Amino acid sequence: MDLLEAGARQLDRVERSSRLDGVIDLVRRAVRRVIPPGPVADALHGTWLGHPLHPALTDVPVGAWVGAAVLDAVPDQEAAATALVGLGLAAAVPSAVTGYNDWAAAGREQERLGLWHGLANGTAAVAYAASLVARLRGRHAAGRTLGGLGLAAAMAGAYLGGHLAYRSGTGFNHAEPAWRRLPTSWQPVDELTALPPGRLVRRLVADVPVLVYRGPRSVHVTVEQCAHMAGPLSEGAVAVIDDEPCVVCPWHGSTYRLRDGAVRRGPATMPQPVLKVRIVDDRVEVRRP
Ligand code: FES
């Protein structure tokens, strides 16, 4: 237990170390040249799915390679094990593409650890490619050894991915904790006349920061922390897409429709939670639906 926590703290230190930032900048620029921000990058993030696509795709290569390792221990299953190694390699391609695309839109600290996550998984792919070649040439003992090395690297990559997702907060909905704290009963926000038209402003509702936008016909209120990585939406910009006002996050450019929080541009994959709004005697009130 202590050993695992010590390992996790070491990874926290990796996130704080700036020694490889130059390499990270080079790789990120290369990734963004191949996959520029836009509809393809958004699709690879998983905006159409409502949550990140990469973690779901990683199950296929890891599952296939674990299956190959099991079959390697069973007599006369060389052909089936070889097929699973090949399947894992094929599935590693979309997994890597979505992973690099997410990485290039992450925060600096997550990028630092993500570099090692990608390196571990790249090592796994190289070892499995060599394993596949050996197996296809009939050298199954060498194929098994290389497969073992690949599986060890893939497990290291999976551990780092788990740390990134759950400890470093890459990929979870950062608006959700604040959203859960908002009451379901009507709460005052401000006087309508105190809200500047067409501007994004920050207010507190039950001590929870919210973003308020007063449009020409209605007032929209959402959680202030961006669902992607908790960027301050009140410091963002207003954009009009399809005649509807949207907020653009100042950190990575995620764009949410203010009416319903729908993601119009990634890298966010989850909608920004919006509150119900009513105006009573010139006073704006909100509640969680
Ligand atoms: S924090 Fe990344 S887009 Fe808002």
mmCIF file of all heavy atoms in Angstrom, residues 136-187:
data_model
loop_
_atom_site.group_PDB
_atom_site.id
_atom_site.type_symbol
_atom_site.label_atom_id
_atom_site.label_comp_id
_atom_site.label_asym_id
_atom_site.label_seq_id
_atom_site.Cartn_x
_atom_site.Cartn_y
_atom_site.Cartn_z
ATOM 1 N N LEU A 136 5.015 -15.178 -36.866
ATOM 2 C CA LEU A 136 4.697 -15.495 -38.274
ATOM 3 C C LEU A 136 5.825 -16.272 -38.939
ATOM 4 O O LEU A 136 5.602 -16.978 -39.926
ATOM 5 C CB LEU A 136 4.408 -14.195 -39.043
ATOM 6 C CG LEU A 136 3.106 -13.486 -38.648
ATOM 7 C CD1 LEU A 136 2.981 -12.133 -39.355
ATOM 8 C CD2 LEU A 136 1.884 -14.355 -38.957
ATOM 9 N N ARG A 137 7.026 -16.145 -38.394
ATOM 10 C CA ARG A 137 8.159 -16.920 -38.923
ATOM 11 C C ARG A 137 8.303 -18.272 -38.215
ATOM 12 O O ARG A 137 9.295 -18.963 -38.423
ATOM 13 C CB ARG A 137 9.450 -16.112 -38.770
ATOM 14 C CG ARG A 137 9.506 -14.926 -39.714
ATOM 15 C CD ARG A 137 10.757 -14.140 -39.526
ATOM 16 N NE ARG A 137 10.872 -13.065 -40.512
ATOM 17 C CZ ARG A 137 11.730 -12.066 -40.440
ATOM 18 N NH1 ARG A 137 12.582 -12.016 -39.415
ATOM 19 N NH2 ARG A 137 11.786 -11.149 -41.371
ATOM 20 N N GLY A 138 7.348 -18.569 -37.357
ATOM 21 C CA GLY A 138 7.382 -19.865 -36.673
ATOM 22 C C GLY A 138 8.247 -19.889 -35.430
ATOM 23 O O GLY A 138 8.408 -20.947 -34.812
ATOM 24 N N ARG A 139 8.759 -18.721 -35.034
ATOM 25 C CA ARG A 139 9.619 -18.685 -33.833
ATOM 26 C C ARG A 139 8.751 -18.286 -32.629
ATOM 27 O O ARG A 139 8.777 -17.156 -32.153
ATOM 28 C CB ARG A 139 10.768 -17.706 -34.057
ATOM 29 C CG ARG A 139 11.702 -18.172 -35.209
ATOM 30 C CD ARG A 139 12.666 -17.095 -35.632
ATOM 31 N NE ARG A 139 13.468 -16.614 -34.508
ATOM 32 C CZ ARG A 139 13.910 -15.367 -34.393
ATOM 33 N NH1 ARG A 139 13.617 -14.482 -35.341
ATOM 34 N NH2 ARG A 139 14.623 -15.006 -33.360
ATOM 35 N N HIS A 140 7.960 -19.245 -32.196
ATOM 36 C CA HIS A 140 6.950 -18.927 -31.174
ATOM 37 C C HIS A 140 7.542 -18.678 -29.796
ATOM 38 O O HIS A 140 6.979 -17.913 -29.012
ATOM 39 C CB HIS A 140 5.896 -20.039 -31.146
ATOM 40 C CG HIS A 140 5.040 -20.035 -32.378
ATOM 41 N ND1 HIS A 140 4.033 -19.113 -32.582
ATOM 42 C CD2 HIS A 140 5.082 -20.801 -33.502
ATOM 43 C CE1 HIS A 140 3.482 -19.316 -33.762
ATOM 44 N NE2 HIS A 140 4.096 -20.342 -34.344
ATOM 45 N N ALA A 141 8.667 -19.328 -29.481
ATOM 46 C CA ALA A 141 9.277 -19.067 -28.161
ATOM 47 C C ALA A 141 9.717 -17.601 -28.081
ATOM 48 O O ALA A 141 9.448 -16.907 -27.088
ATOM 49 C CB ALA A 141 10.463 -20.006 -27.943
ATOM 50 N N ALA A 142 10.385 -17.126 -29.149
ATOM 51 C CA ALA A 142 10.795 -15.713 -29.173
ATOM 52 C C ALA A 142 9.565 -14.804 -29.162
ATOM 53 O O ALA A 142 9.545 -13.754 -28.496
ATOM 54 C CB ALA A 142 11.647 -15.445 -30.415
ATOM 55 N N GLY A 143 8.519 -15.223 -29.895
ATOM 56 C CA GLY A 143 7.287 -14.426 -29.928
ATOM 57 C C GLY A 143 6.667 -14.299 -28.550
ATOM 58 O O GLY A 143 6.171 -13.224 -28.176
ATOM 59 N N ARG A 144 6.710 -15.400 -27.793
ATOM 60 C CA ARG A 144 6.143 -15.348 -26.426
ATOM 61 C C ARG A 144 6.957 -14.410 -25.533
ATOM 62 O O ARG A 144 6.393 -13.638 -24.761
ATOM 63 C CB ARG A 144 6.106 -16.759 -25.826
ATOM 64 C CG ARG A 144 4.886 -17.563 -26.246
ATOM 65 C CD ARG A 144 4.717 -18.792 -25.370
ATOM 66 N NE ARG A 144 5.735 -19.798 -25.654
ATOM 67 C CZ ARG A 144 5.636 -20.722 -26.604
ATOM 68 N NH1 ARG A 144 4.549 -20.779 -27.338
ATOM 69 N NH2 ARG A 144 6.589 -21.600 -26.794
ATOM 70 N N THR A 145 8.307 -14.507 -25.660
ATOM 71 C CA THR A 145 9.164 -13.644 -24.830
ATOM 72 C C THR A 145 8.914 -12.172 -25.149
ATOM 73 O O THR A 145 8.730 -11.333 -24.249
ATOM 74 C CB THR A 145 10.653 -13.981 -25.072
ATOM 75 O OG1 THR A 145 10.828 -15.370 -24.798
ATOM 76 C CG2 THR A 145 11.559 -13.161 -24.178
ATOM 77 N N LEU A 146 8.882 -11.863 -26.443
ATOM 78 C CA LEU A 146 8.641 -10.467 -26.840
ATOM 79 C C LEU A 146 7.241 -10.018 -26.415
ATOM 80 O O LEU A 146 7.027 -8.861 -26.015
ATOM 81 C CB LEU A 146 8.812 -10.327 -28.352
ATOM 82 C CG LEU A 146 10.267 -10.393 -28.838
ATOM 83 C CD1 LEU A 146 10.327 -10.680 -30.336
ATOM 84 C CD2 LEU A 146 10.982 -9.080 -28.510
ATOM 85 N N GLY A 147 6.282 -10.946 -26.491
ATOM 86 C CA GLY A 147 4.932 -10.632 -26.048
ATOM 87 C C GLY A 147 4.904 -10.312 -24.554
ATOM 88 O O GLY A 147 4.196 -9.406 -24.113
ATOM 89 N N GLY A 148 5.691 -11.070 -23.777
ATOM 90 C CA GLY A 148 5.767 -10.795 -22.332
ATOM 91 C C GLY A 148 6.307 -9.402 -22.058
ATOM 92 O O GLY A 148 5.787 -8.675 -21.202
ATOM 93 N N LEU A 149 7.345 -9.033 -22.819
ATOM 94 C CA LEU A 149 7.899 -7.675 -22.658
ATOM 95 C C LEU A 149 6.853 -6.627 -23.034
ATOM 96 O O LEU A 149 6.685 -5.607 -22.354
ATOM 97 C CB LEU A 149 9.140 -7.510 -23.544
ATOM 98 C CG LEU A 149 10.388 -8.308 -23.145
ATOM 99 C CD1 LEU A 149 11.476 -8.145 -24.203
ATOM 100 C CD2 LEU A 149 10.891 -7.823 -21.780
ATOM 101 N N GLY A 150 6.151 -6.902 -24.139
ATOM 102 C CA GLY A 150 5.123 -5.959 -24.588
ATOM 103 C C GLY A 150 4.016 -5.812 -23.561
ATOM 104 O O GLY A 150 3.546 -4.702 -23.287
ATOM 105 N N LEU A 151 3.620 -6.943 -22.957
ATOM 106 C CA LEU A 151 2.544 -6.876 -21.973
ATOM 107 C C LEU A 151 2.987 -6.080 -20.745
ATOM 108 O O LEU A 151 2.202 -5.291 -20.190
ATOM 109 C CB LEU A 151 2.106 -8.286 -21.566
ATOM 110 C CG LEU A 151 0.827 -8.356 -20.741
ATOM 111 C CD1 LEU A 151 -0.358 -7.793 -21.517
ATOM 112 C CD2 LEU A 151 0.544 -9.794 -20.308
ATOM 113 N N ALA A 152 4.247 -6.266 -20.328
ATOM 114 C CA ALA A 152 4.752 -5.500 -19.172
ATOM 115 C C ALA A 152 4.705 -4.000 -19.481
ATOM 116 O O ALA A 152 4.271 -3.190 -18.645
ATOM 117 C CB ALA A 152 6.176 -5.939 -18.843
ATOM 118 N N ALA A 153 5.117 -3.631 -20.693
ATOM 119 C CA ALA A 153 5.091 -2.205 -21.068
ATOM 120 C C ALA A 153 3.647 -1.697 -21.154
ATOM 121 O O ALA A 153 3.343 -0.572 -20.729
ATOM 122 C CB ALA A 153 5.806 -1.999 -22.403
ATOM 123 N N ALA A 154 2.753 -2.538 -21.692
ATOM 124 C CA ALA A 154 1.341 -2.126 -21.805
ATOM 125 C C ALA A 154 0.717 -1.935 -20.426
ATOM 126 O O ALA A 154 -0.086 -1.015 -20.211
ATOM 127 C CB ALA A 154 0.551 -3.152 -22.610
ATOM 128 N N MET A 155 1.104 -2.798 -19.472
ATOM 129 C CA MET A 155 0.565 -2.653 -18.114
ATOM 130 C C MET A 155 1.085 -1.363 -17.468
ATOM 131 O O MET A 155 0.350 -0.662 -16.764
ATOM 132 C CB MET A 155 0.956 -3.873 -17.259
ATOM 133 C CG MET A 155 0.264 -5.163 -17.658
ATOM 134 S SD MET A 155 -1.547 -5.081 -17.514
ATOM 135 C CE MET A 155 -2.040 -5.000 -19.224
ATOM 136 N N ALA A 156 2.377 -1.065 -17.710
ATOM 137 C CA ALA A 156 2.922 0.204 -17.193
ATOM 138 C C ALA A 156 2.165 1.383 -17.808
ATOM 139 O O ALA A 156 1.797 2.344 -17.119
ATOM 140 C CB ALA A 156 4.407 0.304 -17.507
ATOM 141 N N GLY A 157 1.904 1.294 -19.121
ATOM 142 C CA GLY A 157 1.155 2.357 -19.798
ATOM 143 C C GLY A 157 -0.253 2.492 -19.237
ATOM 144 O O GLY A 157 -0.759 3.597 -19.036
ATOM 145 N N ALA A 158 -0.882 1.338 -18.945
ATOM 146 C CA ALA A 158 -2.242 1.368 -18.394
ATOM 147 C C ALA A 158 -2.242 1.997 -17.007
ATOM 148 O O ALA A 158 -3.143 2.776 -16.651
ATOM 149 C CB ALA A 158 -2.807 -0.049 -18.330
ATOM 150 N N TYR A 159 -1.219 1.681 -16.210
ATOM 151 C CA TYR A 159 -1.132 2.277 -14.865
ATOM 152 C C TYR A 159 -0.995 3.803 -14.966
ATOM 153 O O TYR A 159 -1.672 4.552 -14.256
ATOM 154 C CB TYR A 159 0.048 1.674 -14.106
ATOM 155 C CG TYR A 159 0.211 2.278 -12.730
ATOM 156 C CD1 TYR A 159 -0.643 1.914 -11.685
ATOM 157 C CD2 TYR A 159 1.185 3.245 -12.486
ATOM 158 C CE1 TYR A 159 -0.525 2.489 -10.425
ATOM 159 C CE2 TYR A 159 1.309 3.826 -11.230
ATOM 160 C CZ TYR A 159 0.462 3.442 -10.205
ATOM 161 O OH TYR A 159 0.584 4.036 -8.969
ATOM 162 N N LEU A 160 -0.118 4.234 -15.868
ATOM 163 C CA LEU A 160 0.063 5.681 -16.041
ATOM 164 C C LEU A 160 -1.225 6.329 -16.563
ATOM 165 O O LEU A 160 -1.588 7.442 -16.169
ATOM 166 C CB LEU A 160 1.214 5.955 -17.007
ATOM 167 C CG LEU A 160 2.606 5.546 -16.508
ATOM 168 C CD1 LEU A 160 3.644 5.739 -17.603
ATOM 169 C CD2 LEU A 160 2.984 6.351 -15.283
ATOM 170 N N GLY A 161 -1.922 5.621 -17.450
ATOM 171 C CA GLY A 161 -3.194 6.140 -17.963
ATOM 172 C C GLY A 161 -4.222 6.272 -16.846
ATOM 173 O O GLY A 161 -4.976 7.243 -16.782
ATOM 174 N N GLY A 162 -4.254 5.283 -15.945
ATOM 175 C CA GLY A 162 -5.169 5.356 -14.801
ATOM 176 C C GLY A 162 -4.840 6.543 -13.911
ATOM 177 O O GLY A 162 -5.729 7.251 -13.443
ATOM 178 N N HIS A 163 -3.546 6.762 -13.688
ATOM 179 C CA HIS A 163 -3.122 7.910 -12.876
ATOM 180 C C HIS A 163 -3.574 9.215 -13.539
ATOM 181 O O HIS A 163 -4.111 10.107 -12.882
ATOM 182 C CB HIS A 163 -1.602 7.872 -12.724
ATOM 183 C CG HIS A 163 -1.062 8.887 -11.755
ATOM 184 N ND1 HIS A 163 -0.669 8.573 -10.475
ATOM 185 C CD2 HIS A 163 -0.869 10.223 -11.882
ATOM 186 C CE1 HIS A 163 -0.249 9.670 -9.854
ATOM 187 N NE2 HIS A 163 -0.353 10.685 -10.693
ATOM 188 N N LEU A 164 -3.375 9.290 -14.857
ATOM 189 C CA LEU A 164 -3.767 10.495 -15.590
ATOM 190 C C LEU A 164 -5.272 10.738 -15.507
ATOM 191 O O LEU A 164 -5.729 11.870 -15.310
ATOM 192 C CB LEU A 164 -3.375 10.350 -17.061
ATOM 193 C CG LEU A 164 -1.954 10.734 -17.438
ATOM 194 C CD1 LEU A 164 -1.638 10.240 -18.842
ATOM 195 C CD2 LEU A 164 -1.777 12.243 -17.348
ATOM 196 N N ALA A 165 -6.035 9.664 -15.665
ATOM 197 C CA ALA A 165 -7.489 9.829 -15.726
ATOM 198 C C ALA A 165 -8.071 10.143 -14.359
ATOM 199 O O ALA A 165 -8.937 11.013 -14.233
ATOM 200 C CB ALA A 165 -8.131 8.565 -16.294
ATOM 201 N N TYR A 166 -7.611 9.427 -13.326
ATOM 202 C CA TYR A 166 -8.316 9.504 -12.038
ATOM 203 C C TYR A 166 -7.602 10.348 -10.990
ATOM 204 O O TYR A 166 -8.246 10.962 -10.158
ATOM 205 C CB TYR A 166 -8.558 8.085 -11.501
ATOM 206 C CG TYR A 166 -9.358 7.270 -12.467
ATOM 207 C CD1 TYR A 166 -8.802 6.185 -13.128
ATOM 208 C CD2 TYR A 166 -10.670 7.623 -12.771
ATOM 209 C CE1 TYR A 166 -9.529 5.460 -14.055
ATOM 210 C CE2 TYR A 166 -11.405 6.909 -13.691
ATOM 211 C CZ TYR A 166 -10.839 5.825 -14.336
ATOM 212 O OH TYR A 166 -11.551 5.129 -15.256
ATOM 213 N N ARG A 167 -6.285 10.340 -11.009
ATOM 214 C CA ARG A 167 -5.576 11.147 -10.004
ATOM 215 C C ARG A 167 -5.294 12.555 -10.532
ATOM 216 O O ARG A 167 -5.408 13.529 -9.811
ATOM 217 C CB ARG A 167 -4.274 10.450 -9.618
ATOM 218 C CG ARG A 167 -3.542 11.156 -8.490
ATOM 219 C CD ARG A 167 -2.683 10.178 -7.738
ATOM 220 N NE ARG A 167 -1.805 10.831 -6.803
ATOM 221 C CZ ARG A 167 -1.474 10.338 -5.620
ATOM 222 N NH1 ARG A 167 -1.988 9.191 -5.234
ATOM 223 N NH2 ARG A 167 -0.638 10.967 -4.832
ATOM 224 N N SER A 168 -4.928 12.630 -11.812
ATOM 225 C CA SER A 168 -4.613 13.939 -12.392
ATOM 226 C C SER A 168 -5.844 14.624 -12.977
ATOM 227 O O SER A 168 -5.775 15.775 -13.387
ATOM 228 C CB SER A 168 -3.558 13.792 -13.485
ATOM 229 O OG SER A 168 -2.455 13.074 -13.000
ATOM 230 N N GLY A 169 -6.934 13.900 -13.069
ATOM 231 C CA GLY A 169 -8.192 14.527 -13.475
ATOM 232 C C GLY A 169 -8.343 14.758 -14.967
ATOM 233 O O GLY A 169 -9.157 15.568 -15.396
ATOM 234 N N THR A 170 -7.571 14.033 -15.801
ATOM 235 C CA THR A 170 -7.748 14.180 -17.242
ATOM 236 C C THR A 170 -8.954 13.341 -17.651
ATOM 237 O O THR A 170 -8.989 12.160 -17.401
ATOM 238 C CB THR A 170 -6.511 13.662 -17.996
ATOM 239 O OG1 THR A 170 -5.359 14.222 -17.400
ATOM 240 C CG2 THR A 170 -6.564 14.019 -19.471
ATOM 241 N N GLY A 171 -9.912 13.962 -18.259
ATOM 242 C CA GLY A 171 -11.007 13.160 -18.805
ATOM 243 C C GLY A 171 -12.256 13.125 -17.964
ATOM 244 O O GLY A 171 -13.295 12.718 -18.454
ATOM 245 N N PHE A 172 -12.193 13.517 -16.670
ATOM 246 C CA PHE A 172 -13.469 13.502 -15.966
ATOM 247 C C PHE A 172 -14.147 14.867 -16.083
ATOM 248 O O PHE A 172 -13.527 15.844 -16.495
ATOM 249 C CB PHE A 172 -13.341 12.998 -14.522
ATOM 250 C CG PHE A 172 -12.764 13.960 -13.514
ATOM 251 C CD1 PHE A 172 -13.513 15.030 -13.023
ATOM 252 C CD2 PHE A 172 -11.497 13.779 -13.028
ATOM 253 C CE1 PHE A 172 -13.004 15.897 -12.078
ATOM 254 C CE2 PHE A 172 -10.963 14.653 -12.095
ATOM 255 C CZ PHE A 172 -11.713 15.709 -11.619
ATOM 256 N N ASN A 173 -15.406 14.909 -15.718
ATOM 257 C CA ASN A 173 -16.201 16.119 -15.883
ATOM 258 C C ASN A 173 -15.916 17.085 -14.725
ATOM 259 O O ASN A 173 -16.397 16.897 -13.601
ATOM 260 C CB ASN A 173 -17.681 15.730 -15.926
ATOM 261 C CG ASN A 173 -18.559 16.917 -16.219
ATOM 262 O OD1 ASN A 173 -18.138 18.062 -16.124
ATOM 263 N ND2 ASN A 173 -19.794 16.631 -16.596
ATOM 264 N N HIS A 174 -15.160 18.131 -14.999
ATOM 265 C CA HIS A 174 -14.744 19.051 -13.932
ATOM 266 C C HIS A 174 -15.867 19.981 -13.484
ATOM 267 O O HIS A 174 -15.715 20.663 -12.475
ATOM 268 C CB HIS A 174 -13.543 19.874 -14.402
ATOM 269 C CG HIS A 174 -12.273 19.081 -14.433
ATOM 270 N ND1 HIS A 174 -11.345 19.110 -13.427
ATOM 271 C CD2 HIS A 174 -11.810 18.196 -15.338
ATOM 272 C CE1 HIS A 174 -10.343 18.295 -13.709
ATOM 273 N NE2 HIS A 174 -10.603 17.736 -14.864
ATOM 274 N N ALA A 175 -16.950 20.035 -14.220
ATOM 275 C CA ALA A 175 -18.076 20.880 -13.796
ATOM 276 C C ALA A 175 -18.991 20.147 -12.813
ATOM 277 O O ALA A 175 -19.765 20.768 -12.098
ATOM 278 C CB ALA A 175 -18.881 21.326 -15.020
ATOM 279 N N GLU A 176 -18.879 18.828 -12.813
ATOM 280 C CA GLU A 176 -19.848 18.033 -12.064
ATOM 281 C C GLU A 176 -19.820 18.277 -10.545
ATOM 282 O O GLU A 176 -20.884 18.429 -9.930
ATOM 283 C CB GLU A 176 -19.621 16.548 -12.377
ATOM 284 C CG GLU A 176 -20.705 15.613 -11.898
ATOM 285 C CD GLU A 176 -22.027 15.800 -12.630
ATOM 286 O OE1 GLU A 176 -22.043 16.440 -13.694
ATOM 287 O OE2 GLU A 176 -23.050 15.311 -12.111
ATOM 288 N N PRO A 177 -18.639 18.328 -9.886
ATOM 289 C CA PRO A 177 -18.661 18.542 -8.426
ATOM 290 C C PRO A 177 -19.360 19.840 -8.042
ATOM 291 O O PRO A 177 -20.150 19.863 -7.088
ATOM 292 C CB PRO A 177 -17.173 18.567 -8.052
ATOM 293 C CG PRO A 177 -16.492 17.795 -9.131
ATOM 294 C CD PRO A 177 -17.275 18.093 -10.377
ATOM 295 N N ALA A 178 -19.075 20.929 -8.783
ATOM 296 C CA ALA A 178 -19.741 22.202 -8.482
ATOM 297 C C ALA A 178 -21.244 22.085 -8.740
ATOM 298 O O ALA A 178 -22.081 22.577 -7.961
ATOM 299 C CB ALA A 178 -19.146 23.317 -9.335
ATOM 300 N N TRP A 179 -21.588 21.415 -9.827
ATOM 301 C CA TRP A 179 -22.999 21.225 -10.193
ATOM 302 C C TRP A 179 -23.763 20.521 -9.075
ATOM 303 O O TRP A 179 -24.876 20.902 -8.717
ATOM 304 C CB TRP A 179 -23.028 20.403 -11.483
ATOM 305 C CG TRP A 179 -24.354 19.948 -11.971
ATOM 306 C CD1 TRP A 179 -24.819 18.673 -12.036
ATOM 307 C CD2 TRP A 179 -25.402 20.758 -12.496
ATOM 308 N NE1 TRP A 179 -26.062 18.631 -12.563
ATOM 309 C CE2 TRP A 179 -26.450 19.903 -12.855
ATOM 310 C CE3 TRP A 179 -25.547 22.129 -12.692
ATOM 311 C CZ2 TRP A 179 -27.625 20.360 -13.398
ATOM 312 C CZ3 TRP A 179 -26.740 22.601 -13.243
ATOM 313 C CH2 TRP A 179 -27.750 21.716 -13.584
ATOM 314 N N ARG A 180 -23.169 19.497 -8.489
ATOM 315 C CA ARG A 180 -23.831 18.730 -7.421
ATOM 316 C C ARG A 180 -24.065 19.579 -6.168
ATOM 317 O O ARG A 180 -24.922 19.254 -5.359
ATOM 318 C CB ARG A 180 -22.970 17.521 -7.039
ATOM 319 C CG ARG A 180 -22.789 16.518 -8.139
ATOM 320 C CD ARG A 180 -23.979 15.604 -8.263
ATOM 321 N NE ARG A 180 -23.900 14.855 -9.509
ATOM 322 C CZ ARG A 180 -24.932 14.277 -10.091
ATOM 323 N NH1 ARG A 180 -26.120 14.364 -9.544
ATOM 324 N NH2 ARG A 180 -24.790 13.618 -11.214
ATOM 325 N N ARG A 181 -23.258 20.619 -5.999
ATOM 326 C CA ARG A 181 -23.399 21.459 -4.804
ATOM 327 C C ARG A 181 -24.491 22.513 -4.960
ATOM 328 O O ARG A 181 -24.860 23.188 -3.995
ATOM 329 C CB ARG A 181 -22.061 22.144 -4.485
ATOM 330 C CG ARG A 181 -21.037 21.180 -3.892
ATOM 331 C CD ARG A 181 -19.645 21.796 -3.838
ATOM 332 N NE ARG A 181 -19.645 23.143 -3.301
ATOM 333 C CZ ARG A 181 -18.817 24.114 -3.725
ATOM 334 N NH1 ARG A 181 -17.956 23.874 -4.686
ATOM 335 N NH2 ARG A 181 -18.866 25.301 -3.185
ATOM 336 N N LEU A 182 -24.996 22.702 -6.164
ATOM 337 C CA LEU A 182 -26.014 23.729 -6.381
ATOM 338 C C LEU A 182 -27.382 23.229 -5.905
ATOM 339 O O LEU A 182 -27.756 22.087 -6.182
ATOM 340 C CB LEU A 182 -26.073 24.101 -7.864
ATOM 341 C CG LEU A 182 -24.900 24.963 -8.332
ATOM 342 C CD1 LEU A 182 -24.753 24.915 -9.844
ATOM 343 C CD2 LEU A 182 -25.090 26.407 -7.858
ATOM 344 N N PRO A 183 -28.128 24.062 -5.201
ATOM 345 C CA PRO A 183 -29.433 23.629 -4.681
ATOM 346 C C PRO A 183 -30.467 23.435 -5.798
ATOM 347 O O PRO A 183 -30.366 24.042 -6.862
ATOM 348 C CB PRO A 183 -29.857 24.792 -3.776
ATOM 349 C CG PRO A 183 -28.631 25.614 -3.575
ATOM 350 C CD PRO A 183 -27.761 25.406 -4.772
ATOM 351 N N THR A 184 -31.447 22.610 -5.505
ATOM 352 C CA THR A 184 -32.542 22.407 -6.463
ATOM 353 C C THR A 184 -33.698 23.375 -6.179
ATOM 354 O O THR A 184 -34.712 23.346 -6.868
ATOM 355 C CB THR A 184 -33.053 20.958 -6.414
ATOM 356 O OG1 THR A 184 -33.340 20.626 -5.062
ATOM 357 C CG2 THR A 184 -32.026 19.985 -6.969
ATOM 358 N N SER A 185 -33.563 24.179 -5.136
ATOM 359 C CA SER A 185 -34.572 25.218 -4.861
ATOM 360 C C SER A 185 -34.087 26.541 -5.462
ATOM 361 O O SER A 185 -32.880 26.736 -5.666
ATOM 362 C CB SER A 185 -34.767 25.375 -3.355
ATOM 363 O OG SER A 185 -33.521 25.669 -2.742
ATOM 364 N N TRP A 186 -35.011 27.451 -5.727
ATOM 365 C CA TRP A 186 -34.652 28.723 -6.374
ATOM 366 C C TRP A 186 -33.718 29.550 -5.499
ATOM 367 O O TRP A 186 -33.947 29.667 -4.292
ATOM 368 C CB TRP A 186 -35.910 29.523 -6.702
ATOM 369 C CG TRP A 186 -36.717 28.910 -7.805
ATOM 370 C CD1 TRP A 186 -37.885 28.222 -7.678
ATOM 371 C CD2 TRP A 186 -36.382 28.894 -9.200
ATOM 372 N NE1 TRP A 186 -38.311 27.776 -8.904
ATOM 373 C CE2 TRP A 186 -37.409 28.177 -9.871
ATOM 374 C CE3 TRP A 186 -35.336 29.392 -9.966
ATOM 375 C CZ2 TRP A 186 -37.411 27.963 -11.244
ATOM 376 C CZ3 TRP A 186 -35.339 29.185 -11.339
ATOM 377 C CH2 TRP A 186 -36.359 28.485 -11.960
ATOM 378 N N GLN A 187 -32.676 30.078 -6.118
ATOM 379 C CA GLN A 187 -31.666 30.864 -5.402
ATOM 380 C C GLN A 187 -31.456 32.190 -6.142
ATOM 381 O O GLN A 187 -31.443 32.223 -7.369
ATOM 382 C CB GLN A 187 -30.315 30.119 -5.385
ATOM 383 C CG GLN A 187 -30.361 28.744 -4.797
ATOM 384 C CD GLN A 187 -30.594 28.765 -3.298
ATOM 385 O OE1 GLN A 187 -29.999 29.590 -2.600
ATOM 386 N NE2 GLN A 187 -31.455 27.885 -2.813
#
